[in-house]
Amino acid sequence: MNINPLWYKNAIFYQIYPRSFYDSNGDGYGDFQGIIQKLDYVRNLGTDCIWLMPTYKSPLKDDGYDISDFYGVFEPFGTLDDLKQLFNEIHQRGMRVITDLVLNHCSDQHPWFQSARKDPNSKYRNYFVWSDTDTKYQGTRIIFVDSQESNWTWDEEAGAYYWHRFYPSQPDLNYDNPEVHEEMKNVMRYWLNLGIDGFRADAVPYLFEREGTINENLPETHAYLKEIRKMMDLEFPGTILLCEANQWPRDVREYFGDGDEFQLGFHFPLMPRIFMSIGKQDASSLVQIMQETPEIPENCQWSTFLRNHDELTLEMVSEEDRQWMWAFYAPQKEMRLNLGIRRRLYPLLDNDRKKIGLAFSLIFTLPGSPVLYYGDEIGMGDNINLFDRNGVRTPMQWDDTKNGGFSTADRTYLPAITDEKYGYQNVNVMQQEDDPDSNLNWLRRLIRIRKASEALGEGELEWITTGSEVKVLAYIRRSENDLVYVIHNMSDYPMHFQLDFEPGIYTDLIQPDFTIAGNRDTELDLNPRIFYWLQRKKSIG
Ligand code: GLC
């Protein structure tokens, strides 16, 4: 295992949704033993760290993000021993593992909430946020806009309203209660003691409420997050926190603190701009957001990503851009959800290797540790007829047998994709393993190349392209021993381009037979939607 304490700054993360990964016992649910069986596959992709989505006990009203026992495991996944074995087997293969930490809320089935709603004198009453009216905190937005009208729900039994930023089945915990602070730290200690390497911390902007604010990113929230980081550094040195804050770059910046809050933070605003740049054949919005992205502390890193288990969120774009994204990428209304798009990577980009290549190139060459979503490496499709976000959470397609080889059950938790273009009959791991040009082997190669370049992994970013219309997007990544010019032709026509290179011989890392002598005003011809990772040859002697 990479023992560099800053390993996470240059790592490939792979997100696993346990329910849909591999079912080892034929009950229709993915499980821990199933994941164990597929760990060699995950490692062979180039994964350094697995992000394991929620495995806690849950009534599944929000697919495991509604936790009814923070110390329990969801039974169909297996036992705690199975989970411990999974952690061990991941480590044995030289990978790390982080799990989801849901601080903001629990399930309404959690004994804390059950006791709180029943008994006003219960100590758990104060674990939640209650009110006699539903008019407090008016400045707060609603996140699940398609299905929720209020962040307050009346509870008959309690005779009061309770506060929730997500579904009513997910009451928010009350961070004004110090007992909640300790309670959640103990939950963290429990899992860290089992040997995990850290957490992907869910929905962190919403921990505290203060009248007259938007109730996001409050100073009190940052103070608590710093407190948990301090605990982790002291008691579990080397463990990491990855921040899910769907916010503007300047607000996410705050979650890195002075290097004493989160080590990693998803770059939410970049993600939709990658799709916009490819769709519009103009990367100006991407350049702009990257230029608005503040510097972060030395020990921190961005997490770049294209898709995940949620809708492709359009919260961090303007209304005009949102309408454009919907019209372009979600022409049918079933493709839309809340302020986003519930589709997978390959269908979004027309199954077109060139467009998908641009997208991966961007997350592999802009500063950050890329996070890949299971199934995107083989080009899985989606099923927009399924409820909520389930359409992008369907079973992993391992081979062309029943249920795509995911399960032998007659009925699986979610149906596997079977349509002609993306169904498991045609899109599956087994078939792609043997084909050197398959989506899987192509991506493996890209990952290998990215990992071999010091500059792409940890170099400084320098912009070459600016301007109001960016057809050719070019930037430099520079580290102590490595220099790479990254160039994308975003358009679908050939481009002729002049670039000032620092003198040297440059070789494309993707197509090593392409070599140029770089100098001032070097002329380049770029085919449509092509990208170069031009690395300067080291001078010999
Ligand atoms: C995060 C998760 C999402 C979940 C929500 C509430 O945004 O990614 O899936 O619904 O938090 O926990």
Side-chain angles (χ1 to χ4, degrees):
M1 194 172 321
N2 178 354
I3 50 163
N4 172 3
L6 300 181
W7 64 270
Y8 54 84
K9 283 189 69 179
N10 180 12
I12 304 285
F13 286 72
Y14 183 79
Q15 178 182 357
I16 293 183
Y17 174 58
R19 214 175 318 283
S20 281
F21 208 57
Y22 187 61
D23 171 14
S24 72
N25 61 0
D27 67 354
Y29 278 90
D31 46 49
F32 300 137
Q33 289 299 334
I35 300 175
I36 291 172
Q37 289 183 36
K38 298 297 182 185
L39 283 180
D40 289 332
Y41 166 82
V42 176
R43 188 199 44 204
N44 288 341
L45 187 62
T47 304
D48 298 298
C49 183
I50 291 173
W51 156 21
L52 192 65
M53 287 174 59
T55 59
Y56 305 88
K57 213 167 161 195
S58 163
L60 297 192
K61 291 285 161 41
D62 184 14
D63 222 350
Y65 285 97
D66 51 323
I67 298 169
S68 55
D69 177 1
F70 286 101
Y71 297 95
V73 294
F74 181 67
E75 268 170 38
F77 288 168
T79 63
L80 183 62
D81 280 337
D82 294 324
L83 183 54
K84 286 194 213 161
Q85 189 192 341
L86 171 59
F87 297 154
N88 281 336
E89 302 254 0
I90 291 172
H91 288 146
Q92 272 166 28
R93 285 167 179 77
M95 294 182 284
R96 291 183 166 86
V97 57
I98 59 173
T99 60
D100 255 291
L101 172 71
V102 185
L103 293 169
N104 184 65
H105 46 263
C106 61
S107 160
D108 61 356
Q109 302 305 306
H110 195 292
W112 297 341
F113 190 72
Q114 291 298 327
S115 159
R117 63 158 39 139
K118 263 192 213 96
D119 177 4
N121 298 318
S122 151
K123 84 161 191 158
Y124 296 112
R125 186 75 162 199
N126 196 27
Y127 273 40
F128 300 91
V129 182
W130 301 99
S131 171
D132 295 338
T133 74
D134 59 357
T135 54
K136 277 170 89 174
Y137 309 141
Q138 291 284 324
T140 317
R141 72 185 167 119
I142 288 169
I143 296 170
F144 290 158
V145 281
D146 283 359
S147 53
Q148 305 306 309
E149 278 172 7
S150 170
N151 290 312
W152 291 108
T153 288
W154 175 256
D155 189 66
E156 207 46 64
E157 220 176 328
Y161 290 94
Y162 65 92
W163 181 249
H164 54 87
R165 292 305 302 271
F166 296 94
Y167 288 124
S169 50
Q170 293 163 296
D172 272 35
L173 289 165
N174 175 17
Y175 277 85
D176 274 321
N177 178 356
E179 279 181 63
V180 169
H181 293 198
E182 289 315 305
E183 203 62 89
M184 295 315 285
K185 278 197 218 158
N186 286 335
V187 168
M188 296 174 70
R189 288 188 176 105
Y190 175 80
W191 292 102
L192 290 164
N193 265 321
L194 294 183
I196 60 167
D197 300 284
F199 298 106
R200 176 261 189 194
D202 182 76
V204 290
Y206 320 117
L207 302 187
F208 281 81
E209 296 75 37
R210 289 290 175 268
E211 198 60 82
T213 73
I214 60 165
N215 292 311
E216 300 190 7
N217 314 322
L218 297 181
E220 292 84 348
T221 294
H222 286 291
Y224 179 65
L225 293 169
K226 285 198 166 79
E227 206 178 302
I228 63 175
R229 169 67 185 279
K230 204 165 159 193
M231 179 278 280
M232 286 173 71
D233 281 353
L234 263 172
E235 299 175 31
F236 306 92
T239 54
I240 61 162
L241 278 173
L242 162 57
C243 171
E244 190 217 13
N246 188 354
Q247 303 286 332
W248 293 101
R250 60 172 180 277
D251 294 323
V252 180
R253 169 64 190 82
E254 298 299 308
Y255 289 89
F256 295 115
D258 297 321
D260 57 355
E261 210 168 311
F262 284 86
Q263 285 95 336
L264 291 158
F266 286 112
H267 202 314
F268 274 99
L270 171 64
M271 182 274 296
R273 285 167 182 79
I274 292 176
F275 289 93
M276 216 148 67
S277 301
I278 294 169
K280 288 189 168 172
Q281 304 181 39
D282 167 13
S284 48
S285 63
L286 184 151
V287 174
Q288 198 188 337
I289 206 73
M290 288 306 295
Q291 288 181 338
E292 284 168 20
T293 298
E295 294 283 315
I296 57 177
E298 194 45 44
N299 60 342
C300 296
Q301 183 60 293
W302 293 101
S303 292
T304 54
F305 68 105
L306 296 170
R307 291 295 296 109
N308 61 24
H309 62 294
D310 288 325
E311 67 274 28
L312 187 169
T313 162
L314 300 173
E315 278 161 319
M316 291 301 123
V317 299
S318 67
E319 180 56 33
E320 191 188 336
D321 288 342
R322 189 176 303 137
Q323 293 302 334
W324 186 89
M325 282 289 288
W326 268 331
F328 194 84
Y329 284 116
Q332 287 169 252
K333 82 171 189 324
E334 298 79 21
M335 296 174 169
R336 304 179 187 184
L337 179 72
N338 300 319
L339 293 188
I341 299 173
R342 47 193 206 117
R343 299 182 68 195
R344 267 206 186 244
L345 179 67
Y346 268 67
L348 276 166
L349 296 180
D350 303 325
N351 213 7
D352 176 340
R353 178 73 69 78
K354 287 230 155 75
K355 294 180 191 168
I356 294 155
L358 290 176
F360 276 120
S361 172
L362 288 165
I363 64 162
F364 288 159
T365 62
L366 287 168
S369 285
V371 183
L372 307 171
Y373 184 50
Y374 88 95
D376 282 350
E377 71 274 22
I378 55 170
M380 267 173 58
D382 47 51
N383 179 351
I384 55 171
N385 299 315
L386 297 177
F387 176 66
D388 200 346
R389 290 150 290 177
N390 286 349
V392 299
R393 301 177 181 182
T394 57
M396 180 67 182
Q397 298 170 192
W398 296 105
D399 58 38
D400 62 4
T401 64
K402 184 176 172 183
N403 303 315
F406 158 70
S407 168
T408 54
D410 287 334
R411 228 184 111 88
T412 53
Y413 166 72
L414 288 175
I417 304 273
T418 52
D419 65 73
E420 209 180 317
K421 202 163 173 188
Y422 299 104
Y424 61 78
Q425 294 84 348
N426 293 315
V427 176
N428 64 65
V429 172
M430 191 151 135
Q431 194 191 59
Q432 295 194 15
E433 284 285 4
D434 300 332
D435 173 2
D437 192 42
S438 65
N439 296 336
L440 176 61
N441 283 319
W442 169 71
L443 190 69
R444 277 183 182 147
R445 202 173 143 256
L446 273 190
I447 293 173
R448 244 192 344 263
I449 298 171
R450 138 91 198 214
K451 287 185 137 182
S453 159
E454 181 190 271
L456 291 180
E458 54 192 64
E460 296 293 318
L461 171 72
E462 294 166 31
W463 284 105
I464 299 175
T465 322
T466 50
S468 55
E469 203 191 26
V470 178
K471 297 280 176 204
V472 176
L473 173 66
Y475 43 86
I476 300 173
R477 298 295 307 277
R478 184 198 303 274
S479 65
E480 209 179 320
N481 307 301
D482 191 15
L483 178 66
V484 179
Y485 280 68
V486 181
I487 305 168
H488 302 89
N489 178 1
M490 304 303 294
S491 75
D492 67 358
Y493 39 89
M495 295 287 288
H496 186 76
F497 188 66
Q498 265 194 353
L499 195 68
D500 280 346
F501 281 91
E502 290 182 18
I505 303 293
Y506 289 84
T507 303
D508 183 18
L509 291 170
I510 310 291
Q511 310 270 359
D513 52 356
F514 181 78
T515 295
I516 56 159
N519 230 309
R520 271 190 74 81
D521 292 338
T522 303
E523 314 262 329
L524 277 172
D525 284 301
L526 307 172
N527 282 327
R529 295 205 160 103
I530 201 79
F531 60 92
Y532 287 124
W533 297 355
L534 295 173
Q535 185 179 48
R536 186 162 66 176
K537 271 229 167 80
K538 294 200 180 69
S539 46
I540 302 162

